[in-house]
Amino acid sequence: MPNIAVVGAQWGDEAKGKVVDFLACEADVVVRYNGGNNAGHTVVLGSETFKFHLVPCGILNAKVLSVIADGVVVDPEVLVTEMDGLTRRGISIEKLRVSTNAHVIMPYHRLLDRLEEEGKGRKAIGTTIRGIGPVYADKAARIGIRIAELVDPARFRGRLAENLKLKNLLLEKVYGAEPFSEEAIYQEYSAYAERIRPYVTNTSYVVNWAAAEGQTLLFEGAQGTLLDIDHGTYPYVTSSHSVAGGACLGTGIGPRAIDRVIGVGKAYTTRVGAGVFPTELLDDVGDYIRERGKEYGTTTGRARRCGWLDTVALRFSVMVNGLTGLSMTLLDVLTGLEKLKVCKAYKCDGSETSQLPGDWETVQECVPIYNELPGWSEDISGITRFDDLPANARAYVKHVEELVGVPIEIISVGPERGQTIVR
Ligand code: IMP
């Protein structure tokens, strides 16, 4: 198998976990390269459901090396909880590796995330309140605490004291909040450090050596293209690089190491949090999709906004990720809808465009232009061959393929590993 990067092609929650788990069967190394526990991946294996926020879902495969790379931000409490949960269920974590360079989410990051959101009022981003924005802000400001420091008690104490001096001032003077106790954080985080230390290493070498040996690498992107800090619907984005290029930045591997880029997109569109969403459905069809698709967040439990598939957004995703193929998930959710719509272009300022008219903010003023297709009523959740899908389902997939210009290589018709059509 070639080295593959799997990225979310929409606003996250595209069921990447299932696709990564499916592809991980053939991989030697699975690498998580961006974001933190704002992500949530669900993998269903037989009667067991696994939910991951940090650990790459490759961990379910005993032979796979699972790497939390440099670009990830780690809440150590969450990492330790996931490690314990896996061990309790008999899953070995021996092949977990955590980068020395990954940044650590501190209690003040989580609190500041909430206070900043509250301060924005109606302009709130709708973050997951996991401290993601504040930890990446500290990283860019070159004051963040990295895993290498967390696991070195003397360095950690010093870095914590430096940071708390500033953060407590900010919390008290600007937000009128209670300051944090250095000793309490030190004690709590030292206990996490003990647990994480055996898995900590310079993961750039681990990944590059594996590549040099001809091992198969799978890069697992979190969130989605339209939540990327540079290419997404700014400012309603996350704070990391969720596009395929993020796999290089967040891992320390050159772009030539990635042979294929698979974008994962739902057969429709969803988004959580605020921000532009041209094809959003605020009617019964939106509710139907939400209920059938169980469109409630893995991380926060929030109801997701639902809408028709937007191929203007998908084409943008194909372009900025250099997608070689798409994986269409949750096609079964559309079963039972008499008519399906696919957004092919936007009408902006009186003229039609199949591309983004400017930045995403200007899309707010645009109206989607749809093609309408007939739906299907047959249960497709047990189908494993493309040719066995109802004619209208096949036509839907082919229509999307024509509009986005890359092959739809994998189709998912249910949460289980087996409910997958490979074309
Ligand atoms: P943050 O990443 O918690 O700062 O949140 C920023 C924006 O990204 C919010 O709109 C979140 O709802 C969204 N977001 C973050 N992580 C995910 C994810 O894994 N799936 C979907 N949306 C996400």
Side-chain angles (χ1 to χ4, degrees):
M1 191 174 93
N3 297 335
I4 300 177
V6 177
V7 297
Q10 297 160 322
W11 277 285
D13 307 318
E14 299 93 348
K16 291 179 290 292
K18 167 162 176 190
V19 176
V20 171
D21 171 66
F22 185 77
L23 294 170
C25 300
E26 307 282 324
D28 300 302
V29 186
V30 178
V31 187
R32 174 85 197 267
Y33 62 81
N34 76 299
N37 59 310
N38 48 347
H41 288 176
T42 306
V43 178
V44 180
L45 274 186
S47 59
E48 293 239 53
T49 300
F50 294 88
K51 288 188 195 294
F52 298 102
H53 297 287
L54 260 181
V55 174
C57 35
I59 201 89
L60 295 178
N61 228 298
K63 72 172 183 65
V64 168
L65 197 64
S66 291
V67 178
I68 296 178
D70 312 47
V72 177
V73 286
V74 176
D75 186 324
E77 182 185 359
V78 175
L79 179 56
V80 167
T81 306
E82 284 192 9
M83 286 161 56
D84 287 345
L86 285 162
T87 309
R88 252 199 322 274
R89 292 168 85 171
I91 311 278
S92 167
I93 55 166
E94 200 192 315
K95 299 194 97 178
L96 176 68
R97 300 290 180 271
V98 183
S99 169
T100 44
N101 287 338
H103 278 247
V104 180
I105 298 180
M106 304 296 294
Y108 48 80
H109 291 132
R110 289 190 299 261
L111 178 59
L112 284 167
D113 197 355
R114 184 164 63 73
L115 294 170
E116 285 168 11
E117 279 285 274
E118 284 170 5
K120 287 192 178 112
R122 282 182 40 241
K123 291 198 159 172
I125 292 165
T127 73
T128 58
I129 318 283
R130 301 297 193 261
I132 305 297
V135 71
Y136 277 113
D138 280 3
K139 172 176 168 171
R142 295 159 294 183
I143 56 170
I145 300 179
R146 289 170 302 144
I147 290 283
E149 292 160 328
L150 173 74
V151 299
D152 178 333
R155 279 166 85 197
F156 180 60
R157 187 95 211 195
R159 300 287 294 109
L160 175 62
E162 278 164 31
N163 270 278
L164 264 190
K165 212 160 102 187
L166 276 174
K167 300 298 179 192
N168 276 344
L169 260 182
L170 179 66
L171 287 168
E172 286 182 285
K173 304 284 181 211
V174 176
Y175 292 103
E178 285 294 307
F180 281 98
S181 144
E182 184 188 318
E183 185 58 27
I185 297 183
Y186 180 75
Q187 292 304 333
E188 182 191 348
Y189 274 56
S190 297
Y192 303 141
E194 286 302 309
R195 301 288 316 285
I196 297 170
R197 191 176 295 110
Y199 307 95
V200 175
T201 183
N202 186 328
T203 54
S204 325
Y205 284 110
V206 171
V207 177
N208 277 287
W209 285 339
E213 278 174 13
Q215 293 188 29
T216 299
L217 313 177
L218 184 60
F219 298 92
E220 174 183 346
Q223 288 84 46
T225 300
L226 303 175
L227 289 173
D228 183 275
I229 181 81
D230 282 321
H231 306 287
T233 50
Y234 192 90
Y236 299 98
V237 292
T238 190
S239 301
S240 68
H241 294 287
S242 44
V243 293
C248 298
L249 300 171
T251 305
I253 196 152
R256 287 184 303 142
I258 301 173
D259 305 302
R260 281 171 58 197
V261 185
I262 298 183
V264 185
K266 289 179 184 177
Y268 46 94
T269 312
T270 64
R271 141 158 239 188
V272 273
V276 62
F277 184 176
T279 61
E280 183 167 14
L281 287 164
L282 299 167
D283 58 8
D284 293 354
V285 180
D287 293 342
Y288 181 86
I289 292 175
R290 185 174 308 104
E291 292 315 311
R292 273 187 66 85
K294 300 187 183 65
E295 293 295 356
Y296 297 88
T298 322
T299 303
T300 58
R302 288 182 291 178
R304 296 178 184 141
R305 300 158 66 194
C306 299
W308 294 122
L309 190 68
D310 181 344
T311 64
V312 180
L314 267 187
R315 276 192 298 275
F316 178 77
S317 208
V318 168
M319 178 176 78
V320 298
N321 289 298
L323 295 189
T324 54
L326 260 178
S327 171
M328 182 187 269
T329 54
L330 295 134
L331 183 64
D332 54 302
V333 171
L334 297 183
T335 298
L337 288 169
E338 206 177 315
K339 290 204 166 76
L340 303 172
K341 289 185 181 180
V342 178
C343 167
K344 60 169 180 179
Y346 298 149
K347 190 158 193 176
C348 311
D349 290 332
S351 52
E352 187 175 324
T353 174
S354 56
Q355 299 162 9
L356 278 187
D359 69 352
W360 276 103
E361 206 70 354
T362 54
V363 173
Q364 203 91 46
E365 313 303 323
C366 300
V367 179
I369 303 172
Y370 291 109
N371 283 337
E372 203 170 271
L373 284 86
W376 60 90
S377 55
E378 299 90 331
D379 177 10
I380 61 169
S381 61
I383 292 178
T384 53
R385 290 180 54 233
F386 184 70
D387 291 342
D388 294 340
L389 284 172
N392 288 351
R394 290 200 307 272
Y396 183 80
V397 173
K398 285 184 175 164
H399 184 63
V400 175
E401 210 166 44
E402 273 166 30
L403 286 174
V404 298
V406 291
I408 296 177
E409 296 167 341
I410 303 171
I411 300 163
S412 170
V413 290
E416 296 205 23
R417 234 184 226 176
Q419 292 176 293
T420 310
I421 299 170
V422 182
R423 290 172 78 199

